[in-house]
Amino acid sequence: MIALLLYRTLADHIVPWATTFATRMLARELNMPEPLLHSTGDYVVAQVFAFEHGVCKSLCPFRLAALVRAWWRGQH
């Protein structure tokens, strides 16, 4: 019971405070306002997601198999 209380206190109070503190320190280190840091972070996440989605789409096993079959048919 005490462990549950400790974990709940940690999750409810310390984790959000640590996240806010880390964001402020990063914004200060990069010398940019916090809202700009948040919007830049959202932009970077969107770019990474788009890149990974494109790479996964091009490396799809079914698509690669179709490309190999088409290449193989073109060779003979």
Side-chain angles (χ1 to χ4, degrees):
M1 188 75 166
I2 292 175
L4 179 61
L5 180 63
L6 179 64
Y7 294 144
R8 189 169 185 192
T9 302
L10 182 70
D12 288 344
H13 299 291
I14 296 174
V15 171
W17 177 84
T19 304
T20 304
F21 181 74
T23 303
R24 285 184 182 159
M25 289 298 106
L26 181 62
R28 190 175 229 182
E29 183 69 29
L30 295 173
N31 197 19
M32 61 187 338
E34 278 185 64
L36 181 62
L37 181 69
H38 284 290
S39 62
T40 304
D42 293 341
Y43 176 74
V44 168
V45 167
Q47 289 293 326
V48 168
F49 180 76
F51 174 76
E52 287 179 350
H53 184 70
V55 167
C56 290
K57 196 179 236 184
S58 66
L59 294 178
C60 175
F62 299 113
R63 186 168 187 267
L64 288 176
L67 287 172
V68 168
R69 279 195 305 267
W71 175 77
W72 185 260
R73 287 181 190 144
Q75 293 291 322
H76 292 99

